[in-house]
Amino acid sequence: MKKLIVHPAVKLRGTLEVPGDKSISHRAVMLGSLAYGTTRIRHFLNSADCVSTINIFRNLGVRIYQKGDQVAITGRGLNSLKPSVKILDAGNSGTTARILLGLLAGQPFTSELTGDQSLRRRPMKRVVLPLSKMGARITGPEEANLLPLKIETRKLSGITYHLPIASAQVKSALLLAGLFAEGETKIIEPSPTRDHTEKMFSAFSIPCTKRDNKISVVGPVSPFRGRTIQVPGDISSAAFFIVAGLLVPDSKILLKKVGLNPTRTGLLDVLGKMGARLRISRVKTPKGMEPSGNLTIFSSGLRAAKVEGELVPRMIDEFPILAVAATQAQGTTLIRGAQDLKVKESDRILMMSVSLKKMGAHIEPREDGWVIQGPTPLKGCRLSCAGDHRVAMSLAVAGLVAKGTTTILDTENIDTSFPGFESCLKKLIKP
Ligand code: S3P
């Protein structure tokens, strides 16, 4: 069992380029595998989750070469996937499992999909239900809510679907199923979620329209060609260093080429309102590519904030680290409408409140968020992260501003999204 030991930091200084964006890396492999010809992916996230996606497509007969953050896919077109002799394994990756269900539902062969112990506890019904409305036949435990799932071959037809929860994974699963379905698949979002699938469609010249909160694709789509995809740094990984730089006194950190897609920058907006000194300089991105920029973070005194509504999906993975920031902010921070945090890699509402409370914070869990009173001094202690990568990295940042040593147990899953996190952190800590 891996553990992470963190000591209080005097100051953080330096420049980092965080690894590639996880959501974009998954989608680049998926679309590249369906394209005709070569797709090259630059600055691919070489993490356990994204490698699970690569291995699944290899099992579906796609030739994929990967070395570090460089990937080359030799695609043979939209209808070239072959049945896998093995059960497909998404590992710890909810994004792989959920989006893939849509893609597999459109194939002319049966597949089986599973995941690790944590993923086998996470709900799949949110994807299975609309896919069934499209004609898919998916079976498995608890009325096909849990992996392992069997996806049988069926003809799909487009539907209009109002997403009951703002979820980019569900939207993306339906858009991928829509590539193979007959007619229009239209998804209506309750509030905007990350639009990397739509952007990736446009990069591969797949027609996809977006009007207000309605996104649609008309299938079956025509074959499309491979291309080169440049993946920006993952803002969800940068988030840990952004908050660390704000909280540790006398710090200045430059984070280069971070993805700045507006559907992902909710944390920057909230921290801005909390008084964070953050300089954002956008870099010019070619048309159709994901926007990115350089971020400079200076230590700052923070005040409390209220986070709810449309902001929530724009920073859904950043709540654990925002909770850490809120323990050091002046006043009462209120987080509402984030009930989906309960079904992430762990129950993040519970895990963050138990752990931060143990460190001395004033944090109360709610059904859909937290009430956090700050600022409170934190004390280092031994903490569990329930195998959740984002909880582990958030607690490591809390450890930088705590008194004494913080030990986080069971941290191997940091590698699912951010291999090299510990060495990046060490690089920034200055005496
Ligand atoms: C993701 C969407 C989000 C996010 C996850 C990645 C994606 O999940 O939490 O880490 O790549 O589409 P939901 O769609 O469940 O909100």
Side-chain angles (χ1 to χ4, degrees):
M1 191 168 88
K2 266 197 184 170
K3 59 184 177 199
L4 183 56
I5 298 173
V6 184
H7 301 287
V10 177
K11 64 179 173 196
L12 303 178
R13 292 284 169 105
T15 301
L16 278 185
E17 196 175 325
V18 293
D21 186 278
K22 182 150 78 78
S23 296
I24 300 173
S25 295
H26 284 304
R27 286 154 171 87
V29 173
M30 293 177 186
L31 271 299
S33 296
L34 297 176
Y36 188 81
T38 305
T39 289
R40 291 183 201 284
I41 312 174
R42 312 256 183 250
H43 201 47
F44 171 78
L45 173 62
N46 182 20
S47 76
D49 275 10
C50 297
V51 169
S52 294
T53 298
I54 286 193
N55 285 335
I56 284 180
F57 281 93
R58 283 183 176 143
N59 285 325
L60 292 168
V62 184
R63 262 179 46 206
I64 306 180
Y65 170 82
Q66 184 216 344
K67 193 163 184 218
D69 68 354
Q70 304 292 314
V71 176
I73 305 173
T74 312
R76 279 178 299 165
L78 200 58
N79 298 311
S80 66
L81 300 183
K82 300 275 178 294
S84 169
V85 286
K86 289 194 200 150
I87 296 187
L88 302 169
D89 188 352
N92 192 249
S93 176
T95 306
T96 307
R98 297 215 180 98
I99 301 187
L100 214 73
L101 283 172
L103 188 146
L104 293 173
Q107 302 308 308
F109 52 80
T110 297
S111 304
E112 279 182 83
L113 180 67
T114 191
D116 71 5
Q117 222 185 11
S118 146
L119 188 55
R120 289 199 306 270
R121 283 195 298 263
R122 295 180 63 191
M124 296 293 144
K125 196 79 189 190
R126 53 181 65 196
V127 187
V128 170
L129 192 80
L131 288 174
S132 306
K133 289 185 196 289
M134 292 176 80
R137 184 173 153 73
I138 303 176
T139 48
E142 299 200 1
E143 297 176 352
N145 189 30
L146 298 179
L147 296 175
L149 290 171
K150 185 171 175 187
I151 306 103
E152 289 173 66
T153 172
R154 285 285 185 284
K155 278 246 161 298
L156 302 184
S157 318
I159 54 165
T160 294
Y161 191 66
H162 284 79
L163 285 183
I165 38 171
S167 164
Q169 291 176 351
V170 181
K171 170 177 68 176
S172 303
L174 300 185
L175 286 174
L176 284 191
L179 298 179
F180 300 94
E182 201 59 53
E184 185 182 24
T185 299
K186 188 192 276 182
I187 298 127
I188 305 169
E189 292 192 290
S191 55
T193 64
R194 64 190 71 194
D195 62 357
H196 304 305
T197 303
E198 298 89 305
K199 281 211 150 47
M200 196 63 73
F201 275 16
S202 140
F204 280 92
S205 306
I206 303 168
C208 173
T209 56
K210 177 160 200 263
R211 215 157 289 130
D212 305 321
N213 58 344
K214 302 175 189 69
I215 304 116
S216 61
V217 63
V218 179
V221 296
S222 309
F224 51 92
R225 287 195 165 279
R227 55 156 302 150
T228 297
I229 301 288
Q230 178 71 42
V231 182
D234 198 325
I235 190 165
S236 298
S237 297
F240 303 108
F241 299 115
I242 296 173
V243 171
L246 296 173
L247 298 189
V248 176
D250 200 19
S251 297
K252 181 181 174 190
I253 302 174
L254 171 62
L255 299 173
K256 295 186 84 171
K257 297 189 202 155
V258 178
L260 291 176
N261 180 318
T263 61
R264 296 282 299 282
T265 50
L267 179 73
L268 299 183
D269 296 349
V270 173
L271 291 173
K273 276 197 241 148
M274 292 171 82
R277 291 192 300 143
L278 262 169
R279 198 161 61 214
I280 304 173
S281 71
R282 288 171 197 279
V283 295
K284 234 178 127 52
T285 30
K287 201 173 165 270
M289 285 287 173
E290 291 273 352
S292 66
N294 300 328
L295 305 179
T296 315
I297 300 104
F298 304 88
S299 354
S300 313
L302 298 179
R303 45 184 181 271
K306 193 168 169 188
V307 183
E308 59 188 348
E310 294 213 340
L311 257 174
V312 173
R314 291 181 56 232
M315 54 175 293
I316 189 67
D317 292 338
E318 284 65 77
F319 282 102
I321 191 64
L322 179 69
V324 174
T327 68
Q328 302 307 301
Q330 186 76 46
T332 305
T333 293
L334 274 179
I335 292 160
R336 284 165 40 180
Q339 56 279 2
D340 230 41
L341 295 179
K342 286 172 166 288
V343 288
K344 295 292 177 188
E345 284 81 334
S346 69
D347 177 343
R348 288 181 175 162
I349 295 185
L350 179 76
M351 282 312 297
M352 289 309 295
S353 48
V354 168
S355 313
L356 289 174
K357 224 179 233 178
K358 201 168 166 196
M359 294 182 87
H362 294 156
I363 173 167
E364 285 307 324
R366 293 277 184 269
E367 255 316 287
D368 61 346
W370 301 285
V371 181
I372 305 168
Q373 211 106 39
T376 39
L378 299 180
K379 55 176 193 292
C381 46
R382 263 171 95 83
L383 299 166
S384 154
C385 66
D388 184 326
H389 55 135
R390 296 200 201 282
V391 170
M393 291 184 274
S394 301
L395 294 176
V397 173
L400 295 175
V401 291
K403 198 161 176 267
T405 302
T406 301
T407 305
I408 305 145
L409 307 169
D410 207 5
T411 56
E412 34 281 307
N413 279 342
I414 288 180
D415 287 354
T416 62
S417 71
F418 198 161
F421 170 75
E422 196 175 350
S423 53
C424 285
L425 192 59
K426 281 199 176 128
K427 193 180 146 195
L428 294 175
I429 298 173
K430 301 289 180 245

